[in-house]
Amino acid sequence: MVVHHGTTTSSYRHRTLPDEHGRFGEFGGRYVPEGLMAALLDLEEAYEIALTDHDFIEELTDLLRERIGRPTLLHKAQNFADLLAVPDVRVYLKREDMAHTGAHKINNALGQALLARRMRKSRIIAETGAGQHGVAVATACAMLGMACTIYMGSDDMRRQESNVVRMKLLGAEVRSVSTGGGRLKSAISEAVRDWVTNVDTTYYLFGTAAGPSPYPAMVRDFQTVIGRETRTQILASEGRLPDCVIACVGGGSNAIGMFHPFLNDPEVRLIGVEAAGRGMATGDHAATLAAGSPGEMDGAYSYVLQDEDGQIAGTHSIAAGLDYPGVGPELSYLKDSGRVIYRAATDTVALRGMRALSRSEGIIAALECAHAVGYLLDQAHHGDLPVGALIVVCISGRGDKDLAIAADLLDS
Ligand SMILES: *Cc1c(COP(=O)(O)O)cnc(C)c1O
């Protein structure tokens, strides 16, 4: 069988890190209570075996094609490139916003749900903050006919009511968590408690390339479909690799999924854009790699936004998906190795990016990836973009969820 989009078994297995301890250099690992260690090791083993199983990879590949609409487009954004006003610059957009459910999160949710079924788990649990991951998990569970429970902070449920309705329509049970301010952190604690109690029957589906091993590598592998497709598509349309690939960084899953297939191509500059919120100097941001320091959080050693006593800092971003004080361990490793460069874009820059892309290309992008778009506009206006550059930007999702925030933009 000929596979055109880099979705052979071997392409999922092409990796060198993490090591056998789940580490990317000094980052990663498993900082979890004893009760979870066995479950993580079981999961790792099941995952390693699944990766070598042709049937598993073929079923995932078929589902991604027939139900998610992959490969997503790589769209040549000529109007947007013209806005940059740099001669001969070409910009391509990787359109994860066109994947079913409107963002990249489904790539991971479906991959892990399939693994859960293979492991003969009868139910899937997950936690969600803004609800995007919860919707992706509920969708994957509906597709595969699996029971689904989503933990969500009570305050987040109030603020993200439409996603709660979506999850319920999709057949998920949404459990409200009102302890600790009713936010994501408490929802994670409750989900972990559920997992420890019901580990024999239950699969914990984590949403980004962070957390304890094996999640960072597993989520990355399911998201590398973004970068593998992009590589094939750009070679087909331009006959060469891009000079620069840009993606936004929250926990890091769309970024590492896009970057990983280019890691061994030193001529391709990889740029991760974090949320600078109200400005780096204000402290109201979520730029973990730009302003954080190594520490332990959510089961792994990685860059963290923390104060001198190791207290996790409060964060702010206009984009809910970037509003997180941690980041995946592999992106931390790639910071220290220098292979990936990290920059930060403010709320204002992101809104400018959202508006510019909407008007020039007819694409209303999610505020998360609008950070990458706004960053690129800024670079061009500061004269930092070389003539003739070939650039790919990952559009991680569509902006329907952000319309209430964007409404303020239209008034200003
Ligand atoms: C969740 C989300 C993100 C941030 O998550 P990563 O794991 O960093 O990719 C980015 N964009 C969109 C559209 C999201 O929904």
Side-chain angles (χ1 to χ4, degrees), residues 103-105 132 208 248-254 321-322 366 368 396-397:
H104 70 294
K105 285 190 170 76
Q132 298 301 111
T208 190
C248 68
V249 177
S253 70
N254 87 92
L322 304 188
E368 286 83 0
S396 55

Side-chain angles (χ1 to χ4, degrees), residues 64-261:
L64 288 173
R65 185 178 58 239
E66 286 160 21
R67 308 292 295 279
I68 307 303
R70 304 209 69 93
T72 57
L73 293 175
L74 185 71
H75 158 139
K76 186 172 186 187
Q78 191 58 52
N79 297 340
F80 177 77
D82 290 346
L83 279 184
L84 300 178
V86 177
D88 299 326
V89 160
R90 280 151 298 159
V91 178
Y92 283 81
L93 307 175
K94 181 56 173 166
R95 302 288 306 278
E96 292 303 293
D97 59 307
M98 293 186 72
H100 176 50
T101 68
H104 70 294
K105 285 190 170 76
I106 192 71
N107 303 327
N108 167 57
L110 192 57
Q112 286 196 59
L114 212 52
L115 179 64
R117 200 177 67 182
R118 188 188 157 92
M119 291 174 77
R120 301 187 188 288
K121 303 293 184 185
S122 59
R123 67 192 280 264
I124 288 182
I125 62 171
E127 87 289 329
T128 193
Q132 298 301 111
H133 175 54
V135 170
V137 174
T139 303
C141 288
M143 283 181 181
L144 299 182
M146 298 186 71
C148 178
T149 300
I150 304 291
Y151 287 90
M152 191 168 182
S154 52
D155 194 46
D156 287 336
M157 281 177 72
R158 240 186 330 275
R159 297 189 306 166
Q160 305 289 340
E161 204 190 333
S162 65
N163 277 338
V164 175
V165 175
R166 283 190 183 94
M167 288 184 268
K168 289 180 174 170
L169 265 177
L170 291 160
E173 177 197 359
V174 184
R175 286 194 189 160
S176 166
V177 181
S178 52
T179 50
R183 303 292 303 277
L184 177 62
K185 201 167 171 30
S186 320
I188 294 180
S189 307
E190 279 307 306
V192 169
R193 196 164 306 155
D194 181 327
W195 199 30
V196 173
T197 312
N198 302 300
V199 69
D200 288 343
T201 57
T202 301
Y203 184 97
Y204 185 4
L205 206 163
F206 196 66
T208 190
S213 183
Y215 288 106
M218 186 163 67
V219 175
R220 172 200 65 196
D221 291 347
F222 289 132
Q223 293 292 3
T224 56
V225 69
I226 304 173
R228 285 182 282 118
E229 286 177 5
T230 299
R231 214 187 145 84
T232 307
Q233 291 166 321
I234 197 80
L235 285 173
S237 48
E238 293 285 338
R240 69 172 179 101
L241 294 177
D243 298 310
C244 174
V245 176
I246 310 175
C248 68
V249 177
S253 70
N254 87 92
I256 193 67
M258 176 57 116
F259 294 163
H260 198 262

